[in-house]
Amino acid sequence: EGEDPHRAMSAKEAVGPAVLVNQVGEGRVVYIPASPDASWGAEYRMPEHRLLIRNVIRYLNPAPPVVVDAPSTVEIVVTKDDAGRRWIIHFLSGVAGGVYTRGLSPHSLGPVQEPRLYKASVEVRSPIRSVKVLGAGTKAKRKGRTIRLQTDEVHEALVIGV
C-alpha cells in the first residue's frame, strides 16, 4: 500500500542485464529475468512491456507465416488448422487490463470496454484460397496476400483458407 508505482517494476539501481540472448545450436534463446507479461496485466502496467514481448517474438521469428497489424487495444490469437488447411485469427477488442484490476489478482483482466470501430490488416505468406469473417458487421477486403478488415465487434474471427 502507498508504494510509488514508478519503483514497483524496477529496482532502485541496476543489478544485472534486462535481457539475455544466447545461441543454442541453430536457434536463439531470449531470457528476460522479470515478468513483463504479468506486469502488463497488473496494477502498474506500462505499454512498453507489450512492445518488449512483441519485439522479442519478432526477433526470434523474423518472418512469421501470418502477420497481424491491429491497434494495441485489440488482442490477437492466431491458430493454424492443418487438417482444414486454414488460419483462424481471433480479434478481441476493448479488453482492458491494469486500470480496472486494482485490488484484484494482477493476472485478471478487467471488464470489456465499449466496442469501438477499428481497422486491422493480416498478411499471409502462403497463397490464399478463401477469406471469411464471422461477424455480420465486419467488412473485409482481400488484395493479394493481405486482408484488411474494419469492425466494431468485441470478438471477430477471420478464417483464411490456404
Side-chain angles (χ1 to χ4, degrees):
E1 291 296 318
E3 188 174 311
D4 178 1
H6 297 99
R7 294 185 61 202
M9 293 179 285
S10 61
K12 187 175 182 180
E13 49 191 67
V15 294
V19 176
L20 299 165
V21 180
N22 195 11
Q23 195 77 25
V24 177
E26 293 183 27
R28 294 179 283 197
V29 176
V30 174
Y31 174 69
I32 303 170
S35 301
D37 57 333
S39 295
W40 169 250
E43 198 167 349
Y44 304 117
R45 71 186 217 183
M46 294 176 60
E48 290 82 0
H49 292 154
R50 286 182 72 167
L51 296 175
L52 174 63
I53 293 167
R54 181 197 66 193
N55 291 342
V56 166
I57 291 168
R58 185 53 50 89
Y59 171 74
L60 293 171
N61 187 8
V66 175
V67 176
V68 180
D69 183 25
S72 62
T73 56
V74 179
E75 182 177 338
I76 308 297
V77 178
V78 178
T79 56
K80 185 177 183 185
D81 175 8
D82 286 322
R85 294 180 37 217
R86 62 187 183 166
W87 290 97
I88 304 170
I89 296 109
H90 294 269
F91 299 83
L92 301 166
S93 175
V95 177
V99 174
Y100 299 107
T101 59
R102 293 202 191 284
L104 302 174
S105 164
H107 305 291
S108 67
L109 292 174
V112 174
Q113 297 175 359
E114 229 179 271
R116 291 196 169 81
L117 185 68
Y118 68 90
K119 295 178 182 180
S121 67
V122 177
E123 182 183 338
V124 181
R125 303 250 184 253
S126 55
I128 296 173
R129 286 185 302 117
S130 62
V131 173
K132 179 181 177 182
V133 291
L134 301 185
T138 300
K139 297 176 186 172
K141 292 182 182 177
R142 174 182 155 204
K143 184 175 183 183
R145 295 183 183 182
T146 301
I147 300 130
R148 299 193 188 289
L149 65 92
Q150 179 175 311
T151 187
D152 63 356
E153 300 283 342
V154 170
H155 174 240
E156 179 56 85
L158 175 65
V159 181
I160 304 170
V162 292

